[in-house]
Amino acid sequence: MLVVGIDLGGTEIKAGLVDEKKGIIKKISRPTEVEMGNAQVIANITKTVKELAEKTEFSAIGIGSPGSIDRKNGIVRFSPNFPNWRNFELVRLIKENIEVDVFLENDANAFALGEWYFGKAKGLHDFIALTIGTGIGSGVVCNNTFLTGKDGLAPELGHVVVVPNGPQCGCGNRGCVEATSSAKYIALEAKNLIDRYPDSLVLKLAGKKEKIESKHVFQAYEKNDPLASVVCNFAIDALARAIGGYVHAFNPEKIIIGGGLSRAGDALFVPLREMTKKYVMSSFVDTYTIEQSSLVEDAGILGAASAAFYAEENPFSS
Amino acid sequence: MLVVGIDLGGTEIKAGLVDEKKGIIKKISRPTEVEMGNAQVIANITKTVKELAEKTEFSAIGIGSPGSIDRKNGIVRFSPNFPNWRNFELVRLIKENIEVDVFLENDANAFALGEWYFGKAKGLHDFIALTIGTGIGSGVVCNNTFLTGKDGLAPELGHVVVVPNGPQCGCGNRGCVEATSSAKYIALEAKNLIDRYPDSLVLKLAGKKEKIESKHVFQAYEKNDPLASVVCNFAIDALARAIGGYVHAFNPEKIIIGGGLSRAGDALFVPLREMTKKYVMSSFVDTYTIEQSSLVEDAGILGAASAAFYAEENPFSS
C-alpha cells in the first residue's frame, strides 16, 4: 500500500510518499504559513500532496498533528500550533481538494503507529511509545490492539501524577510526569537553580542562563555536574516511577522513547533503566526493555503514514 | 451457553451452574480441605461439579483463583491459598476426571469479566474493575479488548507506586496503592496510630486494638472521628491518585470497585469521586464514573463462569 504521510507542524509541512514495506520513497517540505490564514494552510497542504504524488496513485493521506484531535470525524479540537483552530474540520477541507481517504491522528499516537509499522515495535503485540520533548506524548498497543479508549483520549501517560503536590503542569494539575521529566521542565528547573550553582558546567555549555536547554543539562549530567545531577536525578526518578506504573498497567514488551529528550542517549537511558527496576514488582523484572527510538527525523512522516495504513486496515467499528 | 463457575477459595469451593443470559441457575459449596492434600482438593472440585451438573449438559468449567496463574496452560504458578502449589497443573488434573474445556483465570481478572457479562460493565467497551480487599486486584477492558499484556501479567494496577518511598508493600516495593489503600493497610495503619488516639471511635467499634478492621475505620470516618480521618484521607487520596492515572491510561467509561472495602459504600465512594477529580486533566473530567460493584457475594462464581464464556468465545490466538 502506498500513502502520503503529512507531519503538520506550525512552521513546516513535512510530507512523504510512503510504501508500507519500503518506507519513505520521496519526501518534500513547504512552509505552513499559519499567519496567512486557514485557506492558505489548506492550499499549502494540497499543493504539497499534489507535488509529492504527481504521477503516482496512492490510497490515502495520513496527517499527524499535535493537540487534541477527533480521529473519527477528522476534526482538530485544538492544537498549540494552530491557535485559531477550534473544532477545525481539517479532513473535510482537504477532501474538498483531493479525492482520497484522509485520516487524522494525534502526533504521539502517530509516533506509536510509526514504531509499529517501521520502528522497533515492528511485529510486537504489546508496547508503549513515548515522545518526550516540550511535553510527553504517548501511544500504546496492548494485546495487539491500538488503545484509544472510550472517547479516543487514551493514552495520556504524560499526565499521570508521579509527584503528589509536585511541580505545576500546563494541564492545570501538579506533579504530572510531563511537569517533572519533559525537556521543557528539565531546562526550566536548571534555570531555576542556576544562581545557586554559578560554576555549573550547564551554564558554560549554554553560554547564558536564558539559553539553557535540556541537552546542556544532560551533557553536564554525564560529567557529574552537581546542578545537572540534582535536576536529572529528580526528573529521571519521576519518569522511572511513571514507566513502572505503565509496566504494571500494560505488561509491554518494549517501552520506546523518542522526541528531543531521547537524543540524550545513554545519559538518559542508562540511569532510567536502572531506576525503573525499583518501581516494578519482581514478576515484571526482565519482562520489558526501554529503548531509544530509531526513527529520528522521519518519525513524523512515518507516523502519519502509519496512521493511514492502520485506519485503512482497521475501519472504525462504531 | 451453560457453564460451571468455580470460585476456588482456601477454605471453601463455591460453584454455580451459570447461564450466559440468565445468570446463576443453581449453586453449591463444599470445603476445599487444603490440609488433606492435592488429590483431595481435586476430588472435591470434581465432586462439586458432578453434583452441580448431575443431569445437565454444560460446555465448560471456569475457575477463578487468587495468585499468579498461567491462563494459557491452565497452571497455578503460585497462590496464597495453596502454599504447596508451585506451577501446579490444575486444569490438566481436573480434565482427567471431567471431559470438558476447563479455563483458569486470576480472581481479579475473573471479577472484571463477571462485571462485563453480568454486572455494571455489561455492554461497555472500556472499563476498569478493581477488587479492594486484603490486596488490590484489577482487570481492564479497553477498546472492547480484555487486556492481558505480553506475558498475561497485565494489569497489576494495585502495584502502581502512588507514594514515593511510601509504606512497604507485600510485593517488596514501597508506596504501591495496595500498600496505601487496601483494607489490610487501612486496618494496619489504624492499629499503628491508635495509641495516639485512645478515645477514637475506631477502638470502641472494634472492641480492642487487635480486632480493628477497615470497616470499623470507615464507620468512624463517617462520624468524623479524627484517627479515622487521618487514615482514610491518606488512603483515599492515594487511591484517587492511582485511579486518576488509570483514567489517563485507559480513558474508561466506568471504574467499578468490588471487594471488602467497597462495602464501605458512600463513606468510601463520595470522597473518592471528589478526590479523583483533582488528579485528572480537564479533558477527562466527566468522561468516567466510579461505581460500587453490584455482584456482591456471587461475584466469584459469576466471574469464574464469565472466564469460561470469554475463553470459549475468544480462543487464544497464539
Side-chain angles (χ1 to χ4, degrees):
Chain A
M1 198 190 299
L2 202 63
V3 304
V4 169
I6 300 177
D7 177 5
L8 186 59
T11 54
E12 219 181 6
I13 298 164
K14 294 182 197 162
L17 194 63
V18 181
D19 179 272
E20 196 172 348
K21 296 215 170 87
K22 296 177 202 150
I24 295 176
I25 288 170
K26 183 181 165 190
K27 62 179 172 177
I28 57 173
S29 66
R30 168 189 302 272
T32 315
E33 300 182 313
V34 178
E35 69 286 357
M36 309 278 280
N38 295 343
Q40 186 64 33
V41 172
I42 299 293
N44 285 337
I45 293 172
T46 308
K47 251 188 274 178
T48 309
V49 173
K50 293 206 163 147
E51 191 185 325
L52 191 64
E54 214 175 353
K55 291 163 194 156
T56 323
E57 285 234 348
F58 62 97
S59 51
I61 297 172
I63 304 173
S65 167
S68 174
I69 63 96
D70 172 350
R71 66 172 67 76
K72 215 154 147 183
N73 298 303
I75 290 170
V76 177
R77 291 198 195 98
F78 61 88
S79 171
N81 292 352
F82 303 93
N84 293 331
W85 291 8
R86 289 276 155 182
N87 298 316
F88 186 71
E89 296 184 296
L90 181 61
V91 165
R92 188 181 62 76
L93 292 167
I94 294 175
K95 285 175 102 168
E96 281 182 1
N97 299 330
I98 310 170
E99 279 175 13
V100 290
D101 288 340
V102 181
F103 302 102
L104 181 61
E105 188 51 86
N106 163 278
D107 59 347
N109 273 318
F111 170 71
L113 290 169
E115 287 290 339
W116 208 10
Y117 281 83
F118 297 105
K120 289 188 174 171
K122 220 170 169 175
L124 299 193
H125 285 202
D126 304 274
F127 71 94
I128 295 167
L130 300 175
T131 43
I132 311 185
T134 310
I136 297 185
S138 55
V140 174
V141 169
C142 188
N143 287 68
N144 213 25
T145 304
F146 177 60
L147 300 187
T148 52
K150 174 175 76 94
D151 309 291
L153 296 171
E156 276 288 1
L157 300 183
H159 296 282
V160 169
V161 174
V162 287
V163 179
N165 300 309
Q168 183 68 47
C169 183
C171 78
N173 287 338
R174 304 183 74 90
C176 303
V177 64
E178 176 165 312
T180 63
S181 312
S182 64
K184 183 177 163 185
Y185 173 81
I186 288 169
L188 180 69
E189 193 60 7
K191 284 178 197 165
N192 285 342
L193 294 174
I194 198 75
D195 293 341
R196 296 164 66 183
Y197 296 87
D199 302 326
S200 172
L201 180 57
V202 173
L203 199 56
K204 291 188 187 80
L205 291 165
K208 57 182 194 173
K209 181 174 170 177
E210 292 67 34
K211 295 210 161 177
I212 292 173
E213 292 177 37
S214 63
K215 67 179 179 188
H216 305 127
V217 186
F218 272 100
Q219 282 160 19
Y221 183 51
E222 281 196 294
K223 310 253 188 229
N224 297 311
D225 177 76
L227 165 64
S229 296
V230 167
V231 173
C232 288
N233 285 336
F234 176 80
I236 300 173
D237 179 63
L239 180 59
R241 198 155 55 245
I243 291 177
Y246 313 154
V247 167
H248 289 109
F250 301 111
N251 184 202
E253 184 158 349
K254 286 184 187 175
I255 295 102
I256 300 164
I257 302 179
L261 203 76
S262 71
R263 295 194 197 119
D266 282 355
L268 168 66
F269 285 90
V270 171
L272 178 61
R273 289 185 189 114
E274 200 51 39
M275 291 188 202
T276 302
K277 286 185 196 161
K278 266 203 316 189
Y279 296 115
V280 295
M281 62 195 288
S282 57
S283 47
F284 285 87
V285 171
D286 299 328
T287 60
Y288 66 94
T289 57
I290 300 176
E291 301 185 23
Q292 187 174 355
S293 169
S294 56
L295 300 181
V296 203
E297 61 179 286
D298 289 332
I301 292 172
L302 289 173
S306 301
F309 295 137
Y310 183 78
E312 289 279 79
E313 290 158 12
N314 300 274
F316 293 112
S317 56
S318 56
Chain B
M1 199 189 301
L2 201 63
V3 304
V4 169
I6 299 177
D7 179 4
L8 187 59
T11 54
E12 218 180 6
I13 297 163
K14 293 182 198 160
L17 195 62
V18 182
D19 179 271
E20 195 170 351
K21 296 215 169 89
K22 296 178 203 151
I24 295 177
I25 288 171
K26 183 180 165 190
K27 62 180 173 177
I28 56 172
S29 66
R30 168 189 301 274
T32 315
E33 300 182 312
V34 178
E35 68 287 356
M36 307 280 279
N38 295 343
Q40 186 64 33
V41 172
I42 299 294
N44 285 337
I45 292 172
T46 308
K47 252 188 275 180
T48 308
V49 174
K50 293 206 165 150
E51 191 184 326
L52 192 63
E54 216 175 351
K55 290 161 196 160
T56 322
E57 284 235 347
F58 63 97
S59 51
I61 297 171
I63 303 174
S65 167
S68 173
I69 64 98
D70 171 351
R71 67 173 65 78
K72 215 155 149 182
N73 298 302
I75 290 169
V76 178
R77 291 197 195 101
F78 61 87
S79 170
N81 291 352
F82 303 93
N84 294 329
W85 291 8
R86 288 277 154 181
N87 298 315
F88 186 71
E89 296 184 296
L90 181 62
V91 165
R92 187 181 62 75
L93 292 168
I94 294 174
K95 285 176 103 168
E96 281 182 1
N97 299 330
I98 310 170
E99 279 177 12
V100 290
D101 288 341
V102 181
F103 301 103
L104 181 60
E105 188 50 86
N106 164 278
D107 59 347
N109 273 317
F111 170 72
L113 290 169
E115 287 290 341
W116 208 10
Y117 280 83
F118 296 105
K120 289 189 174 171
K122 220 168 168 176
L124 299 192
H125 285 201
D126 305 274
F127 71 94
I128 296 168
L130 301 175
T131 43
I132 311 185
T134 310
I136 297 185
S138 55
V140 174
V141 169
C142 188
N143 287 67
N144 212 25
T145 304
F146 176 60
L147 300 187
T148 52
K150 174 175 75 95
D151 309 291
L153 297 171
E156 276 287 2
L157 301 183
H159 296 282
V160 169
V161 174
V162 287
V163 179
N165 301 309
Q168 182 68 48
C169 183
C171 78
N173 286 339
R174 302 183 74 90
C176 303
V177 64
E178 175 165 313
T180 64
S181 311
S182 65
K184 183 179 163 185
Y185 173 81
I186 288 170
L188 181 69
E189 194 60 6
K191 283 178 196 164
N192 285 343
L193 294 174
I194 196 76
D195 294 341
R196 295 165 65 184
Y197 296 86
D199 303 326
S200 171
L201 180 57
V202 173
L203 198 57
K204 291 188 187 79
L205 291 166
K208 56 183 195 173
K209 181 175 172 177
E210 291 67 34
K211 295 210 163 176
I212 293 173
E213 292 179 38
S214 63
K215 67 178 178 187
H216 305 127
V217 186
F218 272 98
Q219 283 161 17
Y221 183 52
E222 282 197 293
K223 311 253 188 231
N224 297 311
D225 176 76
L227 165 63
S229 297
V230 167
V231 172
C232 289
N233 285 335
F234 176 80
I236 299 172
D237 180 64
L239 180 60
R241 198 154 56 244
I243 291 177
Y246 313 155
V247 166
H248 290 110
F250 302 111
N251 184 202
E253 184 158 350
K254 286 185 187 176
I255 295 102
I256 300 163
I257 303 180
L261 203 76
S262 70
R263 294 193 199 122
D266 281 355
L268 168 67
F269 285 89
V270 171
L272 179 61
R273 290 184 189 115
E274 200 52 40
M275 292 188 200
T276 302
K277 285 184 197 161
K278 265 201 320 190
Y279 297 114
V280 295
M281 61 194 288
S282 57
S283 47
F284 285 86
V285 171
D286 298 327
T287 60
Y288 66 92
T289 58
I290 300 176
E291 301 185 23
Q292 187 174 356
S293 169
S294 56
L295 299 182
V296 202
E297 61 178 287
D298 289 331
I301 292 172
L302 289 172
S306 301
F309 294 136
Y310 183 77
E312 290 278 80
E313 289 157 13
N314 300 274
F316 292 113
S317 56
S318 58

